[in-house]
Amino acid sequence: MNNNILCTICARAGSKGLKNKNIKKIEGLELIAYSIIQAKNSGLFKHIVISTDSDEIAHVALKYGGEVFFKRKAELASDKAAKVPVMRDALLQSEAHFNTTFDTLIDLDATAPLRRSEDIKKAYELFKQSGKENLITAVPARRNPYFNLIEIKENGAIDTAKTYASTTRQDAPKCYDMNASIYIFQRQRLLESDSVFGTKTALYVMNEESAFDVDSEFDFKIVEFLIKSKKLKQEEL
């Protein structure tokens, strides 16, 4: 356990793609419970702080050991609110509450229950060894955007969204599908920038099924099927 690492889990009310998605249950556990249990199983954190504007989500989080001592401001809980300012607010609220300064923040997406605690530990080890300022997670892209991602141009023409000089897939750059399952930030990086991308950003590549998080009823059915097929105990998450 490292007292200088803060874990945050950000879960707001008012999700539109799937109503109350953060507290929908799979195998008897609410979605947000999976992230709290995985954070606890990683053994990395003294504090697991929940940023929410919902009393109902707060109640569920407290039941599993999440810490809820502030309510997220309305301007950070809207559909248009970006994720980085929400994490920054959680960091500053936590530092004031615990009267301490955290070196590192690790944020776990509340709707990514297919992540494992081993992923959190491995991502943090990679982050430390890389010397980078932040880390994001992704899975290998199933389809290559240089060949399969198309768009309608302003003149109405249909073309690939990205272009590359070579016509062979093997020569194209490797591409990944960002799954937003785990974010890691150095404190100063989080305070200074709203972007998760940069030359000092590390990438932790997760397994293929980690591409699925819950944003719609269809997503929920896929994730529910995958979780039920594993039959993992809470200590194995």
Side-chain angles (χ1 to χ4, degrees):
M1 183 180 295
N2 188 326
N3 291 342
N4 290 322
I5 309 174
L6 174 69
C7 178
T8 59
I9 299 171
C10 304
R12 68 179 182 87
S15 53
K16 292 181 177 175
L18 180 62
K19 189 177 180 181
N20 295 325
K21 64 181 180 181
N22 291 304
I23 51 176
K24 284 186 70 71
K25 287 186 176 180
I26 297 178
E27 291 289 83
L29 289 178
E30 296 86 348
L31 278 188
I32 193 171
Y34 283 89
S35 292
I36 295 171
I37 292 168
Q38 290 159 357
K40 293 167 71 174
N41 288 351
S42 75
L44 288 175
F45 311 110
K46 182 178 180 181
H47 298 294
I48 302 167
V49 173
I50 313 302
S51 170
T52 185
D53 59 330
S54 162
D55 291 338
E56 194 172 6
I57 292 173
H59 176 75
V60 172
L62 287 167
K63 185 170 65 174
Y64 293 98
E67 294 173 89
V68 189
F69 47 81
F70 70 96
K71 180 169 278 192
R72 196 192 304 180
K73 302 171 187 172
E75 60 265 31
L76 293 177
S78 72
D79 290 345
K80 297 181 179 178
K83 182 72 178 284
V84 173
V86 174
M87 291 188 280
R88 183 184 303 133
D89 176 66
L91 171 69
L92 296 176
Q93 295 272 9
S94 299
E95 290 186 338
H97 180 78
F98 296 117
N99 191 28
T100 191
T101 298
F102 294 99
D103 297 331
T104 305
L105 177 143
I106 298 181
D107 183 86
L108 307 179
D109 192 288
T111 59
L114 293 170
R115 166 207 316 114
R116 303 285 290 276
S117 59
E118 284 300 314
D119 287 314
I120 304 170
K121 291 190 285 188
K122 288 178 180 177
Y124 180 59
E125 283 303 313
L126 174 62
F127 174 69
K128 286 195 300 181
Q129 294 171 10
S130 72
K132 302 285 189 178
E133 295 180 347
N134 74 309
L135 176 146
I136 60 176
T137 56
V139 299
R142 296 184 63 195
R143 299 170 71 84
N144 193 308
Y146 290 93
F147 297 91
N148 301 107
L149 184 66
I150 61 173
E151 66 180 33
I152 302 175
K153 306 291 184 182
E154 289 185 1
N155 62 3
I158 296 176
D159 200 353
T160 53
K162 293 178 69 69
T163 57
Y164 191 67
S166 174
T167 57
T168 63
R169 295 172 186 270
Q170 290 73 20
D171 292 337
K174 287 185 177 179
C175 293
Y176 300 89
D177 184 357
M178 187 177 172
N179 63 357
S181 179
I182 305 169
Y183 289 105
I184 304 180
F185 285 90
Q186 288 181 357
R187 181 180 188 276
Q188 202 59 34
R189 173 66 161 74
L190 182 58
L191 294 179
E192 292 178 347
S193 175
D194 283 347
S195 175
V196 299
F197 306 111
T199 57
K200 295 183 179 179
T201 299
L203 175 65
Y204 175 69
V205 179
M206 300 176 69
N207 62 25
E208 186 177 23
E209 69 177 31
S210 299
F212 298 103
D213 62 355
V214 177
D215 198 40
S216 67
E217 187 66 40
F218 180 71
D219 297 335
F220 185 82
K221 289 178 180 177
I222 294 174
V223 170
E224 183 179 44
F225 169 79
L226 290 171
I227 287 178
K228 285 185 174 180
S229 68
K230 292 178 180 300
K231 298 187 180 302
L232 295 177
K233 299 176 182 176
Q234 289 193 24
E235 58 269 26
E236 296 172 323
L237 294 176

